[in-house]
Amino acid sequence: MASVGLLFVGAVLFINGVMLLGWVDAKSAAPMNFFVGGLQIITPTYLIFTANGDTDVILAASGLYLFSFTYLYVALNLTLNLDGTGLGYFCLFVFISALVFSWLNFTRFADPGFGVIWLYWAFLWLLFFLLLGLKQEQLGRYTGAVCAIQGWVTGWLPALLLLTGAYDALTGTLAVVLAVFGVVVFGALFPLLGRRRSGGAVAASDPAVPA
């Protein structure tokens, strides 16, 4: 069940990313955030209630609420035109939590693939904290590109591997490939999209972040 939810996490990350890139109108992205936010409440709740006291299952499922509350927060911001500062500081909380879940996957769960994937998500939530909480608007397009790419490599790809039963045999390889890919691609994109434009102003064409 969690694998199905992960597939749609990929979808909403992609939609939110292209929204920040200015390819999708902000309010038109709200429904997908509501859909996936709701799904990511149902999924961990079901897993916890059917865990029969298995602390590892409960621990793993608890991390899914970080996603659901983020997406619902984004959806409400877009729908009600709220200021994004509160969401930004919530993303700081999630960033720190994601680092802990990454460490748990490397150690307690012996799952290096999701250890690296949680590091990806921690990086993304850190970018949202900088963008929304600290108002670093020059990071808008870079954050959008990172978010859209992560939709495919941290949601769609591992979900399909899990759903087809291929993930366990590939988790080590996936960890190495994603680690190299993230450093190279996100590092290369930053000089192109992540720096303030000449004159210190953000271009008028830059998309508005949820605010």
Side-chain angles (χ1 to χ4, degrees), residues 2-189:
S3 304
V4 175
L6 182 63
L7 182 66
F8 289 97
V9 164
V12 76
L13 287 176
F14 177 68
I15 293 297
N16 288 343
V18 296
M19 174 190 68
L20 285 172
L21 287 168
W23 302 353
V24 170
D25 176 73
K27 286 198 172 181
S28 71
M32 181 58 73
N33 282 276
F34 276 121
F35 297 153
V36 181
L39 176 63
Q40 291 298 89
I41 286 180
I42 295 170
T43 299
T45 301
Y46 171 82
L47 292 173
I48 290 170
F49 272 93
T50 59
N52 295 319
D54 188 325
T55 55
D56 282 347
V57 172
I58 295 171
L59 176 61
S62 67
L64 301 181
Y65 289 113
L66 298 171
F67 293 90
S68 63
F69 295 145
T70 299
Y71 302 143
L72 292 174
Y73 211 147
V74 170
L76 289 171
N77 274 14
L78 294 174
T79 302
L80 302 177
N81 196 32
L82 302 176
D83 175 75
T85 308
L87 173 58
Y89 276 88
F90 175 68
C91 289
L92 174 61
F93 171 85
V94 181
F95 159 66
I96 296 170
S97 301
L99 292 177
V100 175
F101 277 98
S102 173
W103 177 78
L104 288 170
N105 274 275
F106 279 119
T107 56
R108 181 165 180 161
F109 299 136
D111 188 347
F114 270 93
V116 173
I117 287 171
W118 273 102
L119 287 177
Y120 266 68
W121 290 331
F123 176 57
L124 180 59
W125 270 305
L126 175 62
L127 289 176
F128 275 109
F129 165 63
L130 296 174
L131 177 64
L132 299 173
L134 300 186
K135 306 300 182 184
Q136 299 294 308
E137 289 89 356
Q138 74 274 13
L139 293 174
R141 290 180 60 79
Y142 178 70
T143 303
V146 171
C147 190
I149 292 169
Q150 287 204 19
W152 294 99
V153 301
T154 72
W156 181 83
L157 176 60
L160 287 183
L161 291 176
L162 286 164
L163 289 168
T164 57
Y167 178 82
D168 288 343
L170 295 174
T171 179
T173 302
L174 182 66
V176 174
V177 171
L178 287 182
V180 174
F181 177 86
V183 171
V184 172
V185 174
F186 298 153
L189 284 175

